[in-house]
Amino acid sequence: QKEVEQNSGPLSVPEGAIASLNCTYSDRGSQSFFWYRQYSGKSPELIMSIYSNGDKEDGRFTAQLNKASQYVSLLIRDSQPSDSATYLCAVNAGGTSYGKLTFGQGTILTVHP
Amino acid sequence: DAGVTQSPTHLIKTRGQQVTLRCSPKSGHDTVSWYQQALGQGPQFIFQYYEEEERQRGNFPDRFSGHQFPNYSSELNVNALLLGDSALYLCASSHRDRGGKLFFGSGTQLSVL
């Protein structure tokens, strides 16, 4: 079992729709969760962080965390073609692994006009 | 405010050679992490440096080594290059108290022939 697993893509949604990206993790002691966006040929950039159960909203983005189910998701409302990118889920175990992020394989999102 | 800078941007080496990649962190950041990203995969953690010491290490062989200098810049060295070392090498900087909030450089694309 992979440590961090993302829903297989690619995911294609029409402009204006809600894109839903999912991620599960295996280490129940994980403490911090992140979503990074990576445009083709570019480096990852942080778009959301979440640390406690529930929802966290930032503009069109909502991150959801359920530690009991070991599940993290990212919702993108009113999707735009500029949202087309690879979305990477990343998990930090905390404690002695404080400095280490474990990434999923990424989900490619395409938003078509 | 300069972001994370990496050099060189591209590198071609042959099997068995050695390579050194360089990274300057974002202003105000004191922690540097290195990641390897194969095509179509998420970044994999190599190691992290803080206060000139290796603080965390991922599942990479000893052929991968690093260094951090007093000005927080860092180097990644890979000895005895293998074909499988071909990848994008990403440097990420952060503040010691903000674990997973990484700022990535544009990366070094290493090709081993």
Side-chain angles (χ1 to χ4, degrees), chain A residues 8 18 25 29 43 45 47 51 53 62 64 74 90 93 103-104 110:
Chain A
S8 59
I18 296 175
Y25 59 94
S43 56
E45 58 176 329
I47 54 172
Y51 305 97
N53 283 329
T62 299
Q64 299 174 317
L74 178 70
F103 284 84
T110 301

Side-chain angles (χ1 to χ4, degrees), chain A residues 2 11 16-17 20 39 42 44 49-51 53 56-57 59-60 62 67-69 74-75 90 95-96 100 102 104 106:
Chain A
K2 292 182 181 177
L11 178 65
S20 177
Y39 290 114
K42 302 294 185 182
S49 60
I50 187 166
Y51 305 97
N53 283 329
K56 179 182 178 182
E57 188 174 318
R60 297 186 295 110
T62 299
K67 288 187 178 180
S69 300
L74 178 70
L75 299 177
T96 58
K100 173 186 174 183
T102 301

Side-chain angles (χ1 to χ4, degrees), chain A residues 38 41-45, chain B residues 3-7 9 22-26 33-35 37 88-93 102-108:
Chain A
Q38 187 172 25
K42 302 294 185 182
S43 56
E45 58 176 329
Chain B
V4 181
T5 58
Q6 289 187 245
S7 63
T9 54
R22 296 176 176 83
C23 172
S24 292
K26 181 179 170 62
S33 304
W34 288 91
Y35 287 81
Q37 187 174 26
L88 179 67
Y89 288 84
L90 294 164
C91 170
S93 74
L102 305 180
F103 288 77
F104 284 90
S106 55
T108 295

Side-chain angles (χ1 to χ4, degrees), chain B residues 29-89:
Chain B
H29 286 181
D30 54 12
T31 303
V32 174
S33 304
W34 288 91
Y35 287 81
Q36 180 195 66
Q37 187 174 26
L39 193 63
Q41 301 297 315
Q44 277 199 296
F45 178 77
I46 303 175
F47 41 54
Q48 183 186 75
Y49 278 85
Y50 171 66
E51 290 189 338
E52 301 180 50
E53 292 190 359
E54 184 182 287
R55 182 160 76 169
Q56 287 283 327
R57 187 177 183 92
N59 295 325
F60 280 79
D62 291 344
R63 298 187 296 108
F64 290 76
S65 63
H67 189 77
Q68 185 179 35
F69 300 93
N71 66 352
Y72 307 120
S73 67
S74 177
E75 287 182 350
L76 164 65
N77 300 291
V78 187
N79 294 323
L81 285 167
L82 303 175
L83 296 179
D85 294 332
S86 296
L88 179 67
Y89 288 84

Side-chain angles (χ1 to χ4, degrees), chain A residues 34-37 45-46 87-88 101 103, chain B residues 100-102 104:
Chain A
F34 306 87
W35 284 99
Y36 283 79
R37 178 176 62 198
E45 58 176 329
L46 178 67
Y87 288 81
L88 297 161
L101 277 189
F103 284 84
Chain B
K101 293 187 175 181
L102 305 180
F104 284 90

